[in-house]
Amino acid sequence: MATDIERLYKHTAAGELGCHRETMLNNQLLLRPQLGRPLRRGYNVPIDGFTYGRPNRGIDGGTAEAMTGWTGQEDDTGTVLPLRRKSGSKTQRRDFKGLNRAAVQGGLVNAREQYDFRATHDVRKKLSDEDKNKNRTRRIPPTMVFGISTRPSTPVFDLLEHKYQDRWLEERRQAELAKSEKELSKKNTSGKVYETRASLLRTYQNPVEPAPLWQMSRFTRSAKPALATFRSGPAGSAAFQHHESDCISRKGVQGHGIYESAKN
């Protein structure tokens, strides 16, 4: 029989079997829905007096570091000294390779120790000549005016006289005239005769006999059929003509089948 503690973990990712942790009862990703009950959506509120946000201190990258800039230096042994303020360091980037090298030399290898080390130490990259030229203050001429230029005044007289409407109507009229002239020029094309259905049907086409099928030369010269079932050549021609006229009403590809019934 399951105990009360096991029943609490029944609707978690681990279920009744597996490793049970107290965080499973509060993690929304590990909870499973219960039959007939809605999902619980809630988070634990911190204790009274808890301050949200980052501390306003210069040693952990807070407002003082963002506004004024803090940097560190290395001593003769290569160890990074604690943060100290340096003027003009806000434009320099942090040297993470130097921080990692100093942390490893100090024996700090895990993520937590390196995080604390970066919060209390800092190394900045040296600016190149190109970056220094970019960071120079741009001198603005005293006569320069900022903002958007004032748009021209609205032509009130053009609005009262409906000039915009007349201009649009005139453009539409010109476009329609150009379209009609283009279609008329296509119809009145001289020197071209258009064929109709009647003229195409009246055109006589000379019959062309199909090319004979390919045969080997020895069969076309001396080869003869093994059996001659017709009494004479005219009798065979008459039989083939009768077959051509009679195969229309018979079934089969070659017209040798039975007669088909009449179709409506």
Side-chain angles (χ1 to χ4, degrees):
M1 189 173 182
T3 61
D4 295 339
I5 299 177
E6 293 178 353
R7 292 176 183 174
L8 293 176
Y9 294 97
K10 181 179 180 181
H11 299 285
T12 58
E16 296 180 355
L17 301 177
C19 181
H20 294 162
R21 299 183 300 274
E22 295 183 0
T23 56
M24 291 183 177
L25 302 177
N26 299 326
N27 193 343
Q28 300 294 335
L29 300 177
L30 301 179
L31 294 178
R32 297 294 181 263
Q34 302 181 20
L35 181 60
R37 294 184 180 182
L39 291 176
R40 294 177 296 173
R41 298 291 185 185
Y43 300 92
N44 295 331
V45 180
I47 59 177
D48 295 339
F50 179 78
T51 303
Y52 294 88
R54 302 182 65 179
N56 189 7
R57 294 181 299 172
I59 61 174
D60 61 347
T63 306
E65 180 182 355
M67 297 299 293
T68 59
W70 296 78
T71 182
Q73 293 182 348
E74 297 182 0
D75 55 7
D76 298 336
T77 60
T79 306
V80 179
L81 299 177
L83 289 174
R84 67 181 185 85
R85 185 175 177 178
K86 181 179 179 180
S87 60
S89 62
K90 60 182 180 181
T91 59
Q92 299 178 358
R93 298 181 181 178
R94 298 188 70 181
D95 188 2
F96 291 98
K97 292 182 179 179
L99 288 171
N100 295 339
R101 181 173 61 255
V104 172
Q105 291 176 357
L108 307 177
V109 292
N110 56 29
R112 183 61 184 176
E113 292 175 350
Q114 290 188 1
Y115 180 80
D116 296 339
F117 181 80
R118 293 179 182 179
T120 56
H121 298 76
D122 195 6
V123 176
R124 297 288 174 172
K125 293 183 178 180
K126 295 181 180 180
L127 294 177
S128 60
D129 296 338
E130 184 179 357
D131 295 336
K132 291 180 180 178
N133 294 332
K134 289 182 180 180
N135 296 330
R136 289 181 179 177
T137 305
R138 181 182 176 185
R139 298 183 63 85
I140 301 174
T143 58
M144 184 174 182
V145 179
F146 296 91
I148 303 174
S149 60
T150 307
R151 68 180 184 86
S153 60
T154 305
V156 181
F157 293 100
D158 293 345
L159 295 176
L160 296 177
E161 295 177 0
H162 305 286
K163 283 190 175 182
Y164 294 101
Q165 177 183 351
D166 298 339
R167 189 185 307 170
W168 181 81
L169 292 174
E170 184 64 24
E171 292 177 357
R172 294 295 302 172
R173 190 179 299 108
Q174 295 295 336
E176 292 177 359
L177 290 175
K179 184 178 180 180
S180 60
E181 291 178 359
K182 186 177 180 180
E183 293 178 354
L184 186 62
S185 62
K186 288 183 179 179
K187 292 182 180 179
N188 298 335
T189 304
S190 60
K192 187 176 182 180
V193 179
Y194 292 93
E195 295 286 349
T196 60
R197 183 174 179 80
S199 63
L200 293 176
L201 293 175
R202 283 196 301 267
T203 304
Y204 177 74
Q205 299 179 358
N206 297 325
V208 179
E209 296 182 358
L213 298 177
W214 180 86
Q215 293 182 352
M216 298 180 66
S217 59
R218 61 179 181 177
F219 291 111
T220 57
R221 291 196 305 269
S222 60
K224 295 182 180 180
L227 298 177
T229 57
F230 295 101
R231 294 184 178 88
S232 61
S237 301
F240 280 110
Q241 291 179 0
H242 176 71
H243 171 69
E244 291 178 358
S245 62
D246 191 50
C247 67
I248 299 175
S249 59
R250 291 177 178 269
K251 293 183 178 181
V253 179
Q254 303 295 335
H256 292 272
I258 60 176
Y259 290 97
E260 295 182 355
S261 57
K263 298 180 181 180
N264 297 330

